Amino acid sequence: MTYSKKPIADPETDPEPDDAKKKPYVPITDRPLLGVPEAEALTGVPAKIIRAQVRNGLLKARMAGSTTMRIRRADLDAWLDAPPAWHV
């Protein structure tokens, strides 16, 4: 039999042990910065296309660390509102 290393909380002495450590939830629609997966979920545009648009300079983004890309919500909205760039 295995035992849990985490002690069971007593509701009388510690009513909410994990709630103090949790981050507040902010809906995607209210976040000023979005990651690529969040931008994909919000717009329905595949992550591959979003990354390609950033790489081509059509969508502004910043790197947070070495691999995490962040897109400002205002830049994402402007990109969505812009007419498509047709290649001739």
Side-chain angles (χ1 to χ4, degrees):
M1 178 177 207
T2 59
Y3 294 98
S4 173
K5 293 182 180 181
K6 184 177 180 181
I8 298 173
D10 182 12
E12 292 179 8
T13 59
D14 194 12
E16 301 175 33
D18 293 332
D19 288 347
K21 296 177 184 177
K22 291 183 181 178
K23 292 182 181 179
Y25 175 74
V26 179
I28 290 176
T29 56
D30 296 337
R31 294 180 190 178
L33 293 175
L34 301 170
V36 173
E38 295 165 336
E40 177 184 27
L42 186 63
T43 63
V45 176
K48 181 178 180 179
I49 301 296
I50 293 172
R51 286 188 185 97
Q53 295 295 301
V54 170
R55 206 173 25 255
N56 293 334
L58 300 172
L59 175 60
K60 294 180 185 177
R62 296 280 185 233
M63 297 303 287
S66 61
T67 59
T68 306
M69 188 181 298
R70 294 286 181 229
I71 302 165
R72 285 191 323 166
R73 179 63 191 270
D75 293 334
L76 184 64
D77 290 338
W79 176 70
L80 290 171
D81 291 339
W86 299 104
H87 298 286
V88 185

